[in-house]
Amino acid sequence: MKFIPALKAIALAGAFSLALGGAASAATLHMHNGGEPGSIDPHKVSGDWENRVVGDYLEGLMTEDENAEAILGQAASYTVSEDGLVYTFKLRDDAVWSDGEPVVAHDFVAAFQRLMDPATAAEYAYLQYPIKNAAAINGGDITDLNELGVKEIDEKTVEITLENPTPFFLQALTHYTAYPIPTHLFDEVGDSWTKMENIVANGPFKLVEWLPGSHLKSVRNETYYDAANVSLDEVYYYIQDDLQAALQRYRSGEFDIMTDFPSDQYGLLESQYPGEARVDPFLGVYYYVMNQDNPKLQDVNVRKALSIAINRKVIGPDILGTGELPAYGWVPPGAANYEGETYNPAWADQDYGERVAEAKALMEAAGYTADTPLTLQLRYNTNDNHQRIAVAVAAMWKEIGVNVELFNSEVAVHYDALRAGDFEIGRAGWLMDYNDPINMLDLLKTGVDNNYGRYSNAEYDALLDQSNATLDLVERAGLMHQAEAIAMDEFGVIPIYYYVAKNVVSPKISGFVDNAADIHRNRWISKSE
Amino acid sequence: MLGYAFRRVLSALPIALIAITIAFFILRLAPGGPFDGERALPPDVLANLRAHYNLDQPIWVQYFIYVKGVLTGDLGPSMVVEDFTVSQLIAIGLPFTLMLGLTAFVSATAIGMLAGVVAAVNQNKWPDYALVLIVMLGVVIPNFLMGGLLQLVFGVYLKWLPAGGWVNGSLPHLVLPVTVLAWPHAARISRLMRGSMIEVLGTNFIRTAKSKGIGERLMLTRHALKPALIPVVSYLGPGLSYLLTGSLVVENIFGLPGIGKYFVTAALNRDYGLVLGTTIFYVALILVLNLLVDLLYAWLDPRVRFR
């Protein structure tokens, strides 16, 4: 007899929850956001899933429009000195924190000083190293934080001095490492300022809830200067690592936006939810790095043979199934400040059969045949897609007299090995931190930590140094194109495909504009019934 | 009985310390570290981070800092979920993991025992075969597949239940995860119960009871059930610890805020603090559950108390 009341209670609870969900859904965005954020403190975050949350509640001097282009944020205007070194920003009069306190220049000065303070241990501090003395302070060579090139001229004026002219600096200011901190609160509670009971916002939304393992929640910030044009009332950012399960939740109507989806489900999405899966070029390269300290890989012709024998055209459409673009150059198409032709070697347009024949001849000239093959170990971190590509590439290389031993390991072990130089060929990828080609090209500079293969060319390094000192954007782009051509002609690395952004967007959502940075601030998003 | 329980608790402390020590050194010896990600950090930044977490200290200094923290109730920081300490993460996730695990445990135990008795009483008849089939499904279908299937059927197509999440925290959100978690457990209990009950029903004292003309229901509940429960009870402790520690997949699939997922994801991320914190938690949980089972076992079988 007690079973019936229990059933009734369950049914009532369900109905109540459905009613609540229905009532709140009008202007509530339910967004699948991937993994657990490590933090919501802008000086402690490092991932795009954290950026989506932090970029909704905080705003820098500059911010992003629908296309992820830099536009004025908390700054009302700015000027740049003739030598390109000094930027002066005037803050908006109506820039205020959600507790009503004005956003002041000191909030930015204190934030940049905190970012560079070694005690903060900010993982991404280096993104603002273009600022004068930033690297020296972060590295402990200068201990006086006031030596940093960020000054408060008056309560509403910030002056930033750079080490060198940096054409992408305004774009870099949209990054979360350039967000202000509410000093009036920070001085009182210190690092606890991002606890839910303390937190204040100067962006379009204000964070109100974080249940680890489940979700975060923001509500519209009514003190935001552009609040009248913010359509959403609430945003839920769901934590869900399992993409297959996340897709089921999208299909059941629980999510309005997915920020990634399993590649092998693209066909299903295309057939059952036409137009909802968005696959667009993204600023990043998937590549194989060759250890140039390894004698087997020091012969440029061997590196060339390995590169040209990879049929990149089948990888995106057939192996991954989501149509990633084949990569022959190092800088992804769509990169800003890169006037000129995309690098495209002659062999890229050759018939694949001819390329294999040429690769085979190059290998034979180097002494490797089917009877005396070159044996290489190919390392990748554990992931179905990495494995599929590795198996396919191994099969392609088999044709030119290369025996491949596949070796997979978890991500921490994999990158530990790459950094230690303990590999022959290794899988890697790079997503650009800001939209400027130097972010890619720096990876192949001599001595750079992320240059896992230890590629080194003095002319390449000199061209990049020259480009850093050049104010003219077209001239700068020319120097960088020359550098890119050198590294690619020497096969310093094997680019395989340019990444794509993979989102799934419900037809109820508008204002979601595909862009190469894959940044979609919820300020621009609206939702219909 | 109290003295026995007290001695068991005391003897658990060195076991916990040994587990922490082994976990601490194995983690530190494993290749890769908490800051080995897709991109190398500049040396200065890496040095700042290592200093922040005392990773620049000799390993034995790190060990003593950690043990000292544990003894004062501080499980240290998480290196990946930086905004929470390990203690906070466990405190937030524990109630949910307990609720999920205990709900699955109670429902699986009740259903498993009932199914086992029904199957035993109807040995080699259709209810027995039907139950064996259902039990087999629970055992052979892995929980990630079961979770996906249930989401697809009840969440996507029928739309009867939420496919995941815990925002409103209503009962319907628990139905699918509890089913996935409980099914294999219920299956194992029903098999144990069936076998044990068949054995008990064949014993002399039951035959004697039958010959006295006692009714079947009374015979089952008063005479057969208690001795038949002994192997089931032996399984309940490990079963409950399995449910409480094995909710990783279920929490991940359904996007639930428990602590199950932290153990594996923290290990993969080399989040030393969180791995050690969850290890301590699980060691304590297993020790407590084993103790409870021993006490329950002693209550059910008087012979145990005098051993």
Side-chain angles (χ1 to χ4, degrees):
Chain A
M1 290 296 282
K2 285 177 184 170
F3 190 57
I4 301 299
L7 267 183
K8 280 183 184 168
I10 292 171
L12 266 177
F16 183 61
S17 123
L18 288 174
L20 272 181
S25 67
T28 300
L29 180 72
H30 296 278
M31 169 191 276
H32 162 243
N33 192 39
E36 180 89 55
S39 175
I40 50 168
D41 183 326
H43 298 154
K44 294 180 180 173
V45 299
S46 57
D48 55 357
W49 63 101
E50 292 156 334
N51 184 16
R52 289 186 200 103
V53 178
V54 176
D56 270 0
Y57 90 92
L58 289 175
E59 187 177 273
L61 294 163
M62 306 295 290
T63 187
E64 299 98 343
D65 66 7
E66 299 99 314
N67 299 299
E69 300 285 348
I71 58 169
L72 289 167
Q74 296 288 291
S77 64
Y78 68 89
T79 57
V80 188
S81 63
E82 274 188 20
D83 59 3
L85 291 179
V86 182
Y87 286 68
T88 308
F89 295 90
K90 286 279 179 195
L91 297 183
R92 291 175 183 277
D93 290 333
D94 52 356
V96 290
W97 294 99
S98 52
D99 59 359
E101 289 289 321
V103 175
V104 291
H106 182 57
D107 294 340
F108 287 93
V109 175
F112 277 112
Q113 289 185 350
R114 179 174 181 252
L115 176 75
M116 293 307 162
D117 186 346
T120 307
E123 201 173 311
Y124 258 75
Y126 66 89
L127 276 177
Q128 303 299 340
Y129 278 4
I131 296 173
K132 190 179 177 189
N133 293 334
I137 290 172
N138 196 229
D141 298 328
I142 297 177
T143 52
D144 183 359
L145 296 177
N146 292 315
E147 293 291 309
L148 186 67
V150 183
K151 306 287 176 209
E152 173 188 347
I153 303 299
D154 60 45
E155 198 175 60
K156 285 285 183 179
T157 310
V158 184
E159 182 187 274
I160 303 179
T161 307
L162 306 184
E163 292 276 4
N164 296 298
T166 309
F168 57 89
F169 186 60
L170 289 176
Q171 186 76 36
L173 287 181
T174 65
H175 195 263
Y176 45 76
T177 45
Y179 291 168
I181 55 170
T183 45
H184 64 283
L185 176 64
F186 186 80
D187 292 344
E188 196 182 319
V189 299
D191 283 346
S192 296
W193 74 277
T194 52
K195 300 286 176 207
M196 287 301 140
E197 59 272 23
N198 298 327
I199 199 163
V200 295
N202 75 330
F205 295 90
K206 184 190 168 192
L207 269 168
V208 292
E209 191 176 320
W210 181 358
L211 180 58
S214 173
H215 67 277
L216 296 95
K217 179 186 173 185
S218 284
V219 297
R220 186 166 50 192
N221 175 14
E222 298 299 345
T223 68
Y224 183 58
Y225 60 86
D226 195 32
N229 293 314
V230 175
S231 164
L232 298 170
D233 295 315
E234 297 176 322
V235 181
Y236 282 91
Y237 316 84
Y238 291 96
I239 297 156
Q240 177 102 53
D241 285 311
D242 186 328
L243 285 183
Q244 193 64 44
L247 182 59
Q248 307 292 39
R249 293 180 70 182
Y250 177 85
R251 297 174 71 196
S252 74
E254 290 172 35
F255 296 154
D256 300 311
I257 292 176
M258 283 185 73
T259 51
D260 196 0
F261 63 83
S263 294
D264 58 2
Q265 297 297 304
Y266 185 50
L268 176 140
L269 282 162
E270 281 287 88
S271 64
Q272 295 190 14
Y273 306 89
E276 293 179 38
R278 313 265 197 103
V279 178
D280 288 282
F282 180 44
L283 296 172
V285 178
Y286 184 105
Y287 63 99
Y288 278 176
V289 57
M290 294 176 283
N291 189 344
Q292 322 257 331
D293 289 343
N294 188 309
K296 297 177 193 173
L297 296 162
Q298 282 172 345
D299 181 347
V300 68
N301 286 327
V302 170
R303 299 202 301 268
K304 180 179 182 182
L306 292 172
S307 185
I308 67 175
I310 296 176
N311 188 358
R312 293 155 173 84
K313 284 180 182 162
V314 301
I315 289 177
D318 301 328
I319 296 171
L320 298 174
T322 27
E324 280 77 355
L325 294 170
Y328 302 101
W330 192 232
V331 179
N337 306 325
Y338 208 43
E339 292 292 319
E341 291 292 310
T342 303
Y343 176 83
N344 191 53
W347 58 265
D349 299 323
Q350 248 180 314
D351 174 71
Y352 180 63
E354 285 175 27
R355 266 165 46 191
V356 173
E358 186 186 343
K360 212 170 171 178
L362 287 169
M363 292 300 287
E364 280 169 7
Y368 301 110
T369 64
D371 297 329
T372 54
L374 170 65
T375 303
L376 288 172
Q377 187 187 67
L378 170 55
R379 293 188 71 126
Y380 58 94
N381 50 302
T382 309
N383 175 290
D384 285 348
N385 285 344
H386 300 337
Q387 186 174 27
R388 280 184 212 146
I389 292 170
V391 168
V393 168
M396 293 169 193
W397 284 349
K398 183 90 183 163
E399 297 293 309
I400 61 165
V402 179
N403 278 350
V404 177
E405 180 203 336
L406 299 180
F407 187 94
N408 80 305
S409 53
E410 55 183 298
V411 68
V413 178
H414 177 71
Y415 281 98
D416 188 40
L418 291 196
R419 262 186 276 288
D422 179 20
F423 72 102
E424 291 181 332
I425 309 270
R427 174 266 149 193
W430 187 264
L431 303 177
M432 289 169 66
D433 299 308
Y434 46 86
N435 192 354
D436 189 274
I438 198 71
N439 191 238
M440 285 301 309
L441 295 166
D442 267 347
L443 288 188
L444 297 179
K445 232 178 151 182
T446 304
V448 166
D449 298 298
N450 285 303
N451 182 356
Y452 303 125
R454 318 283 199 270
Y455 171 74
S456 178
N457 181 302
E459 198 184 347
Y460 180 89
D461 297 344
L463 282 165
L464 291 192
D465 289 342
Q466 256 183 283
S467 78
N468 281 339
T470 307
L471 273 176
D472 185 289
L473 283 181
V474 176
E475 190 186 332
R476 177 176 177 267
L479 293 166
M480 290 192 289
H481 273 293
Q482 285 180 49
E484 183 186 11
I486 288 171
M488 293 298 102
D489 290 346
E490 284 197 326
F491 298 90
V493 71
I494 304 178
I496 293 182
Y497 67 78
Y498 297 117
Y499 279 112
V500 289
K502 295 185 292 182
N503 296 287
V504 190
V505 183
S506 159
K508 294 178 192 167
I509 300 299
S510 50
F512 189 101
V513 180
D514 299 315
N515 61 68
D518 196 26
I519 289 177
H520 314 272
R521 294 293 178 214
N522 286 321
R523 174 185 175 188
W524 312 109
I525 303 287
S526 57
K527 179 181 172 184
S528 61
E529 278 290 355
Chain B
M1 191 75 102
L2 270 177
Y4 171 69
F6 184 68
R7 282 196 305 277
R8 287 292 309 272
V9 171
L10 274 187
S11 67
L13 292 176
I15 297 174
L17 186 64
I18 290 168
I20 294 169
T21 306
I22 292 172
F24 183 92
F25 286 101
I26 284 179
L27 262 178
R28 292 300 202 279
L29 292 172
F35 311 115
D36 286 322
E38 187 120 322
R39 49 190 63 192
L41 297 171
D44 291 338
V45 172
L46 188 60
N48 294 341
L49 281 163
R50 290 177 60 79
H52 185 74
Y53 291 107
N54 294 319
L55 297 177
D56 55 347
Q57 302 284 330
I59 192 164
W60 60 270
V61 175
Q62 293 179 45
Y63 174 72
F64 283 112
I65 290 173
Y66 186 74
V67 172
K68 189 181 163 194
V70 171
L71 292 176
T72 55
D74 177 12
L75 294 176
S78 163
M79 293 166 195
V80 176
V81 191
E82 289 182 71
D83 278 13
F84 294 90
T85 64
V86 172
S87 304
Q88 284 171 332
L89 286 172
I90 290 177
I92 293 168
L94 179 61
F96 189 85
T97 296
L98 285 179
M99 178 177 68
L100 183 66
L102 289 175
T103 311
F105 176 76
V106 171
S107 48
T109 306
I111 292 168
M113 281 167 48
L114 184 64
V117 172
V118 171
V121 172
N122 296 283
Q123 194 184 354
N124 298 328
K125 295 178 190 164
W126 74 263
D128 187 20
Y129 297 135
L131 285 167
V132 166
L133 180 68
I134 294 169
V135 162
M136 287 306 290
L137 286 178
V139 174
V140 298
I141 301 180
N143 52 5
F144 66 88
L145 185 59
M146 177 80 76
L149 283 171
L150 293 179
Q151 281 180 320
L152 194 65
V153 173
F154 294 100
V156 176
Y157 292 125
L158 298 174
K159 298 201 187 297
W160 288 356
L161 291 164
W166 190 248
V167 173
N168 295 323
S170 63
L171 278 175
H173 286 86
L174 269 184
V175 175
L176 295 183
V178 165
T179 305
V180 174
L181 198 55
W183 199 332
H185 185 70
R188 286 187 202 101
I189 288 180
S190 69
R191 284 165 68 186
L192 276 174
M193 192 73 204
R194 178 182 179 275
S196 174
M197 184 57 89
I198 288 172
E199 198 180 316
V200 170
L201 290 176
T203 56
N204 287 335
F205 80 93
I206 292 292
R207 275 200 289 274
T208 308
K210 274 185 185 171
S211 65
K212 286 181 180 172
I214 193 167
E216 192 175 25
R217 181 174 292 184
L218 195 63
M219 184 265 295
L220 277 174
T221 52
R222 183 168 292 179
H223 298 287
L225 193 58
K226 202 172 169 186
L229 273 177
I230 289 176
V232 176
V233 167
S234 303
Y235 172 73
L236 291 184
L240 180 56
S241 47
Y242 162 78
L243 287 178
L244 291 172
T245 58
S247 53
L248 158 79
V249 175
V250 171
E251 287 173 12
N252 260 340
I253 290 177
F254 292 97
L256 300 174
I259 56 171
K261 64 184 160 297
Y262 288 135
F263 187 63
V264 172
T265 52
L268 290 175
N269 290 326
R270 300 288 188 276
D271 187 343
Y272 299 144
L274 195 49
V275 174
L276 289 170
T278 45
T279 301
I280 291 170
F281 166 72
Y282 286 135
V283 166
L285 189 71
I286 289 166
L287 290 173
V288 168
L289 290 175
N290 281 343
L291 175 65
L292 287 177
V293 168
D294 284 352
L295 296 176
L296 188 59
Y297 203 86
W299 174 73
L300 278 172
D301 185 351
R303 289 171 298 180
V304 173
R305 286 177 234 163
F306 301 107
R307 273 178 200 165

